[in-house]
Amino acid sequence: MGKNILVFGPNGSGKGTQGAIVQKKYEIPHIESGAIFREHIGGGTELGKKAKEFIDRGDLVPDDITIPMMIARLQKDDCEAGWILDGFPRSKDQAITLAETLEKEGLALDYVIEIVLDRGIAKERIMGRRLCVKDNNHPNHIAFEAIKPVEKDGKLVCRVCGADLITRPDDQDEDAIDKRHGIYYDETTGTMAAVNYFKSGSGPKVISVDGSKSIGEVTDSIMNEL
Ligand code: CO
């Protein structure tokens, strides 16, 4: 079986981390939809120019622009052994159109990975991240025992080196988090509806894993099924 994979999970579920692990193990590209947008817009392609008009107006880019962008990426040479697409589709409609277009283009879709995580926990995970000012590779998180910051002189500091901790502004923007999660957890038309669409059909094998577990445990659950 090939390794053409879609990965789903709410912001805060560790989806990007798991995607990177799968990429490394199978030596297939980990394609993030946001990066494809930036490439097209930055590169001034026809699709990029069209997309930019919508973005500049604050509108969502329609599927007849985004889907050809995704398909063109999946048809590149480096995708021959497989690919893992992350961040697309976001809605049920996009899922249906993507599945139809893949089929039309003769591209298989082998797996859908779903990282399942409670919405409240996902939010807590985003908001609890702390960055070490001295070293980006010193993870700290107020909600995880294993990487909890330590207290020094009445404040929390990096558990590895004792340096000050900061938060990323995006991680503390509750409105933005709620908006993104609102789209993700919408089971009628949103991303959860897209996942359910794949579950209901006879298409790809759907692998649902418990995202509340540790990174290693989530990886094991995915690898056991791939
Ligand atoms: Co540190």
Side-chain angles (χ1 to χ4, degrees):
M1 198 162 174
K3 290 284 184 285
N4 294 356
I5 305 165
L6 293 179
V7 61
F8 291 98
N11 214 235
S13 66
K15 170 171 61 85
T17 304
Q18 297 298 335
I21 293 169
V22 172
Q23 162 182 47
K24 216 172 161 191
K25 160 132 189 183
Y26 294 107
E27 297 179 326
I28 54 177
H30 178 205
I31 299 163
E32 286 168 291
S33 59
I36 301 183
F37 264 106
R38 288 191 292 275
E39 276 169 32
H40 276 270
I41 292 168
T45 66
E46 279 310 307
L47 288 169
K49 281 182 210 161
K50 283 189 204 161
K52 192 171 181 298
E53 287 174 27
F54 288 91
I55 292 168
D56 286 348
R57 289 201 301 265
D59 291 332
L60 279 177
V61 182
D63 293 348
D64 60 358
I65 297 172
T66 48
I67 289 180
M69 277 186 189
M70 302 302 151
I71 297 287
R73 180 65 189 86
L74 303 179
Q75 286 173 328
K76 286 196 177 172
D77 289 345
D78 64 337
C79 290
E80 253 171 46
W83 40 263
I84 176 161
L85 180 60
D86 180 340
F88 193 87
R90 289 199 182 177
S91 69
K92 184 179 178 180
D93 283 347
Q94 284 179 342
I96 294 169
T97 312
L98 178 68
E100 287 171 354
T101 312
L102 286 169
E103 199 181 341
K104 207 171 75 195
E105 296 291 332
L107 291 166
L109 175 58
D110 303 303
Y111 295 96
V112 166
I113 298 172
E114 176 195 24
I115 302 175
V116 180
L117 192 62
D118 171 81
R119 184 168 176 168
I121 296 173
K123 185 170 175 176
E124 194 176 72
R125 283 201 175 174
I126 297 166
M127 299 192 75
R129 285 176 198 151
R130 296 292 180 272
L131 304 179
C132 169
V133 296
K134 287 226 176 103
D135 191 330
N136 263 332
N137 296 314
H138 290 172
N140 287 265
H141 198 293
I142 58 172
F144 293 117
E145 215 44 60
I147 54 169
K148 222 172 204 162
V150 293
E151 206 175 313
K152 199 180 87 184
D153 305 329
K155 65 172 185 174
L156 294 175
V157 296
C158 176
R159 60 179 233 290
V160 182
C161 72
D164 285 340
L165 295 172
I166 51 169
T167 55
R168 258 189 12 195
D170 284 357
D171 288 349
Q172 305 306 313
D173 185 344
E174 274 199 77
D175 288 343
I177 295 166
D178 288 342
K179 199 174 166 193
R180 294 177 76 165
H181 279 168
I183 295 167
Y184 188 85
Y185 288 96
D186 177 347
E187 292 190 55
T188 313
T189 60
T191 313
M192 292 282 281
V195 178
N196 290 335
Y197 163 75
F198 289 113
K199 282 181 182 169
S200 69
S202 56
K205 177 179 176 182
V206 179
I207 302 170
S208 293
V209 297
D210 178 357
S212 70
K213 299 272 170 51
S214 72
I215 290 173
E217 286 171 301
V218 174
T219 301
D220 288 345
S221 308
I222 293 171
M223 295 304 179
N224 283 340
E225 303 282 336
L226 273 181

